[in-house]
Amino acid sequence: MQKLQCNNVIHYSKKRLRIRLLSLNESVDVNILVSDFANVFPSFFISVMLNAKCISFSKIDDISEDEVNKICAYFNEYKLVKLKHKKEKPSKANIYASLLALANSYTSNPVLDKQASLLTSYPLLKEGLLDLVENGLTSHVLEAAAVAVSLLRKDYKAANSTNFMLNIGEYIEESAVLKSDDLVKELAKPQLTHAWVEENNELVKKSTDELKIGDIVVVSTGEAIAVDGYIVDGDANVNCVSMTGEANAVFKERGDRVLSSTIVEEGRIKIWAEAVGENTTTAKILHYMKDCLEEKSQIGKKAVNLANSLVPFTLSLAAIAYLFNGSSALASVLQADYSCALKLATPVAFKSAISYAGKRQILLKGSQVLERLSEVDTFVFDKTGTLTSGDLKVKAVYSFVKEYDEQSLLNLSASAEEHYFHPVAEAVVKAAKQNGFSHINHGEVEFIVAHGIKTSIDKEEVIIGSRHFLEDDEGVDFSKNEDKINELLNSGLTLLYIAKAKQLLGVIAMSDELRFNSKESILKLKQNGVKEVIMLTGDIYDRAISVANELGIDKVYAQLLPQDKAQITKKLKDEGRKIAFVGDGINDAPSLVQADVGISMQKGADIAKASADIALLKDDISCVVHAKILANETMKKIQKNFKSTVWINSAILLGAASGILNPSTTALAHNGTTIALLINSLKQNYKALN
């Protein structure tokens, strides 16, 4: 047997290889690395882990020691390609240079003092001149003018102190932007380029770009999942930390939904692909995060416009100061203005809040969402899947005909429902399996959104779904069984109705428990500015009132049809309320769009998540409260920064214009205030969330 020649091997077995590559880092273009490797070793599946600085390889056949040595030799010679347009970390070089120039200003060497001041101020003067040509009078022009006047007056201490403070402020701002972008990079990992697909009982390696809905994707131990979908075979422990924040692996089996970028720690599963490529959860989150971090809020735009509009005022004040108090007052006034703090602190506060929320599994789709959420005074909850867990369980089966007993009725329903991964369908199939499921042959199944399903058995039509669907749409007679149905509904059970050949065969009774923290979450919402909490449900009125009283809900709309929710949301908005709607179903999408702020739950339908302004990546209703508190706190911080900017800079300008403050003192006071406000914007001390 040939001896392994590679010293970088961390793990080697017949089906799996992992090697260490110390030169791996975030600047490496992983897509090129994977593509190059695939061209040389087409039979291997590769997974790159940048943080761990290692690469995993797997293969259908056994991995030979000769192949291990060839792979190691390949990477010993391979030259890693860096990402193009990689955003570098902010440099402190300008800070150090301007600090040295400032220190030199206190020496007795005027020639060196002048040269150092001109050299370190050149980038600022150049940017100011270009900004003047391209954009007219802006805050950058004012900053450059302040330094230029100080240089002309040979007041190098003032010029260098201004330049030094401006460089510190710019560094803090760039650091904040880079910190926000780090979240996007984390959401983008792991970068998957290939997946194993089962075709004609054989595994075929395909590019993720080639995957399509309906493909059966096979994922084994140590591999990342490339699609969103449902497990159709096998079971595994899946690490979902990248999507849900749960550190421990979650056991998944047939019927369970899995998301892209989660990792199979142990086991092997076959996944029916529901979403691929740009439509996967990971891709959507990455897209949303990029958009929202780049989006400018309304208040941010107002701050920028106000800041730029005040530049002519500052220049006019500088001219007046020059006429009455000379060039020193001119230089002092130019050192101070409102624009820096107004323009920088607001976007930094928003980006800091969005990043903070994202790391806590709350996806905010833009800074404007925070603004609108802070103004919300009415929360509207769809009951099922939001206030309740959405995890239905079959409690009992009731047959209304002699031809079908309880077990055969359950088998009939499960045979049709097993084709769909809906909470009701999953509950029925699970109950049937626990009671010795026997499949009943049937025809093609038709799924009617928000209503139920249709199929055929022995050439007779079978309808399974809501009462509205069976009775109003399909003409099934319920009159003979009204008393029993009402008895079950009054006991708080959810009913699934089964009919064949227009005859009601029976019902499957299910229950959905309230979330343990629903009551606490509603109380906290009211403590944080929410005036009214409303619940929408299809339940009968008595049951709805019982739930509302238990949770402390103010108003209830019961026995609703799917289309009623959006109409109620619109009506509430027309009354002048600021509405937040929380839902998770396909039929919630119109309401999520209609509301001022739409919030979708983690287990919600994809269309609900796409329609919402806020998507929860964690199945916890307390995240709704956290989002509201975060919005409130962020807007309070921005308003406080705004008021501080106006009052403090007004006092500085007054002192500068009257000659009380010299240029150096003015620069220190003005830029020190700006830096303090930036640091305050970066702080993530949201105590109310803890």
Side-chain angles (χ1 to χ4, degrees):
M1 183 178 290
Q2 185 178 356
K3 185 179 179 181
L4 287 177
Q5 301 297 315
C6 183
N7 297 322
N8 296 331
V9 173
I10 302 171
H11 169 78
Y12 169 50
S13 64
K14 289 182 178 181
K15 297 291 184 183
R16 186 167 173 78
L17 167 68
R18 182 181 294 176
I19 67 169
R20 178 87 64 193
L21 200 61
L22 296 177
S23 52
L24 276 177
N25 57 57
E26 292 183 350
S27 67
V28 172
D29 193 322
V30 175
N31 290 328
I32 292 178
L33 184 155
V34 172
S35 178
D36 289 345
F37 179 84
N39 290 333
V40 180
F41 300 92
S43 62
F44 279 85
F45 180 87
I46 178 173
S47 177
V48 180
M49 288 153 278
L50 292 177
N51 288 338
K53 293 184 180 295
C54 66
I55 307 175
S56 294
F57 310 88
S58 57
K59 191 182 175 189
I60 299 175
D61 304 324
D62 290 350
I63 303 173
S64 68
E65 292 183 356
D66 181 56
E67 286 175 318
V68 173
N69 289 327
K70 285 181 179 179
I71 289 172
C72 290
Y74 171 82
F75 280 104
N76 285 337
E77 300 295 327
Y78 184 76
K79 293 182 179 180
L80 295 170
V81 179
K82 290 190 175 182
L83 285 167
K84 294 181 180 179
H85 308 298
K86 167 75 176 174
K87 185 177 285 187
E88 301 294 339
K89 291 183 178 179
S91 173
K92 296 179 182 178
N94 288 339
I95 296 177
Y96 295 141
S98 55
L99 179 60
L100 288 173
L102 178 60
N104 187 67
S105 300
Y106 289 90
T107 66
S108 56
N109 191 334
V111 176
L112 183 60
D113 194 9
K114 178 181 179 181
Q115 291 175 341
S117 300
L118 288 172
L119 183 64
T120 55
S121 300
Y122 174 74
L124 174 64
L125 298 174
K126 181 182 177 182
E127 287 178 12
L129 182 60
L130 290 173
D131 212 23
L132 177 63
V133 173
E134 294 176 4
N135 303 309
L137 291 175
T138 65
S139 59
H140 287 303
V141 175
L142 206 60
E143 292 161 359
V147 173
V149 169
S150 295
L151 290 172
L152 290 172
R153 294 182 64 252
K154 297 184 180 180
D155 187 353
Y156 300 122
K157 290 179 183 177
N160 290 325
S161 62
T162 301
N163 196 30
F164 173 62
M165 298 299 282
L166 287 171
N167 282 326
I168 291 177
E170 185 177 349
Y171 176 80
I172 292 173
E173 183 193 8
E174 289 179 357
S175 297
V177 172
L178 192 70
K179 193 173 182 181
S180 298
D181 292 344
D182 283 343
L183 179 61
V184 174
K185 290 188 290 183
E186 286 301 316
L187 289 169
K189 297 174 186 175
Q191 301 182 51
L192 300 173
T193 57
H194 292 80
W196 294 108
V197 178
E198 186 177 77
E199 292 184 351
N200 301 320
N201 295 322
E202 292 184 357
L203 287 183
V204 180
K205 186 179 179 182
K206 285 189 174 184
S207 165
T208 50
D209 295 332
E210 297 176 316
L211 297 178
K212 58 184 182 296
I213 295 173
D215 278 346
I216 303 300
V217 178
V218 182
V219 188
S220 302
T221 300
E223 296 174 355
I225 298 171
V227 298
D228 293 349
Y230 293 89
I231 298 175
V232 294
D233 186 47
D235 53 57
N237 290 323
V238 180
N239 188 323
C240 305
V241 68
S242 62
M243 299 305 297
T244 66
E246 296 179 67
N248 298 322
V250 180
F251 180 74
K252 301 278 188 177
E253 58 184 343
R254 188 190 185 282
D256 288 337
R257 191 166 189 255
V258 290
L259 300 176
S260 58
S261 291
T262 55
I263 298 171
V264 174
E265 287 191 352
E266 184 179 358
R268 187 172 187 268
I269 51 178
K270 295 181 181 180
I271 305 163
W272 182 84
E274 179 191 34
V276 299
E278 291 299 314
N279 293 316
T280 61
T281 303
T282 302
K284 287 178 181 177
I285 291 172
L286 179 59
H287 173 73
Y288 290 140
M289 288 305 301
K290 283 181 176 177
D291 283 352
C292 74
L293 288 172
E294 291 171 1
E295 179 195 53
K296 290 185 178 179
S297 64
Q298 289 300 319
I299 194 170
K301 291 174 183 176
K302 289 177 183 177
V304 170
N305 293 334
L306 177 60
N308 287 333
S309 68
L310 288 172
V311 172
F313 165 76
T314 305
L315 290 174
S316 301
L317 184 62
I320 295 170
Y322 175 72
L323 291 174
F324 286 94
N325 296 309
S327 60
S328 178
L330 167 66
S332 295
V333 172
L334 289 176
Q335 303 286 351
D337 71 290
Y338 301 95
S339 60
C340 294
L342 284 175
K343 291 172 70 173
L344 298 181
T346 299
V348 167
F350 276 125
K351 287 196 172 190
S352 179
I354 290 169
S355 294
Y356 182 91
K359 291 170 184 175
R360 283 152 185 80
Q361 313 304 315
I362 304 169
L363 179 59
L364 302 169
K365 300 179 185 176
S367 50
Q368 293 186 28
V369 174
L370 281 168
E371 289 182 83
R372 297 199 302 270
L373 184 58
S374 70
E375 299 171 351
V376 165
D377 54 30
T378 304
F379 263 78
V380 180
F381 287 89
D382 174 55
K383 191 198 80 171
T384 304
T386 52
L387 298 172
T388 66
S389 65
D391 186 16
L392 291 168
K393 294 180 180 178
V394 173
K395 292 297 182 180
V397 180
Y398 297 91
S399 176
F400 299 149
V401 295
K402 295 180 180 179
E403 294 85 354
Y404 285 90
D405 60 16
E406 285 75 10
Q407 183 60 47
S408 60
L409 193 61
L410 184 61
N411 287 339
L412 183 152
S413 301
S415 299
E417 294 279 13
E418 69 176 345
H419 298 276
Y420 292 95
F421 300 100
H422 181 277
V424 171
E426 290 176 355
V428 171
V429 172
K430 185 176 181 180
K433 287 184 176 180
Q434 290 172 345
N435 290 277
F437 177 43
S438 176
H439 186 273
I440 298 175
N441 292 328
H442 57 81
E444 184 178 348
V445 179
E446 179 186 2
F447 177 62
I448 296 91
V449 175
H451 286 75
I453 61 174
K454 284 183 179 183
T455 186
S456 62
I457 294 177
D458 300 329
K459 298 182 179 181
E460 291 184 313
E461 185 179 57
V462 173
I463 311 168
I464 304 172
S466 66
R467 176 165 183 168
H468 166 69
F469 177 40
L470 272 68
E471 187 174 34
D472 298 339
D473 296 349
E474 299 297 328
V476 177
D477 182 18
F478 276 63
S479 60
K480 296 179 182 178
N481 305 289
E482 284 284 3
D483 292 342
K484 184 61 180 179
I485 290 171
N486 289 332
E487 178 190 334
L488 295 172
L489 291 173
N490 290 331
S491 66
L493 294 169
T494 298
L495 302 183
L496 179 70
Y497 301 89
I498 305 104
K500 182 181 179 184
K502 304 297 183 183
Q503 180 186 15
L504 185 62
L505 302 183
V507 296
I508 297 176
M510 292 173 281
S511 67
D512 184 12
E513 301 297 324
L514 291 173
R515 293 178 185 268
F516 74 94
N517 56 351
S518 289
K519 184 175 182 178
E520 180 187 7
S521 297
I522 289 170
L523 177 62
K524 286 186 176 180
L525 284 174
K526 292 181 178 180
Q527 292 171 347
N528 285 277
V530 178
K531 296 177 181 177
E532 188 171 37
V533 177
I534 297 171
M535 183 180 78
L536 309 183
T537 178
D539 283 354
I540 61 171
Y541 187 74
D542 289 345
R543 169 60 179 161
I545 287 294
S546 174
V547 171
N549 291 337
E550 183 178 348
L551 298 180
I553 289 170
D554 303 301
K555 193 172 184 178
V556 173
Y557 290 87
Q559 295 176 288
L560 297 176
L561 299 177
Q563 61 268 28
D564 294 336
K565 297 177 185 178
Q567 294 173 3
I568 291 170
T569 305
K570 185 178 184 302
K571 177 187 172 186
L572 293 170
K573 279 191 70 177
D574 291 343
E575 293 174 1
R577 306 192 195 196
K578 298 294 183 181
I579 305 294
F581 184 92
V582 187
D584 72 331
I586 291 174
N587 52 13
D588 292 332
S591 300
L592 291 166
V593 174
Q594 185 80 243
D596 294 288
V597 178
I599 304 174
S600 70
M601 299 299 290
Q602 187 258 342
K603 290 183 179 179
D606 285 342
I607 190 171
K609 293 176 184 177
S611 304
D613 301 294
I614 300 174
L616 304 185
L617 308 181
K618 185 178 180 182
D619 189 31
D620 187 351
I621 196 173
S622 67
C623 288
V624 175
V625 183
H626 294 167
K628 174 60 176 170
I629 294 173
L630 181 64
N632 291 352
E633 294 295 315
T634 301
M635 295 310 298
K636 284 179 185 177
K637 182 186 292 184
I638 289 170
Q639 294 296 339
K640 183 179 179 181
N641 285 348
F642 186 85
K643 291 177 181 178
S644 299
T645 297
V646 173
W647 284 105
I648 294 172
N649 281 284
S650 294
I652 293 171
L653 277 171
L654 183 62
S658 62
I660 297 173
L661 300 177
N662 63 38
S664 296
T665 306
T666 304
L668 181 64
H670 167 67
N671 292 304
T673 300
T674 301
I675 290 170
L677 291 173
L678 281 173
I679 293 173
N680 184 53
S681 295
L682 279 170
K683 281 183 180 178
Q684 298 181 338
N685 55 341
Y686 306 107
K687 295 179 182 179
L689 294 178
N690 299 323

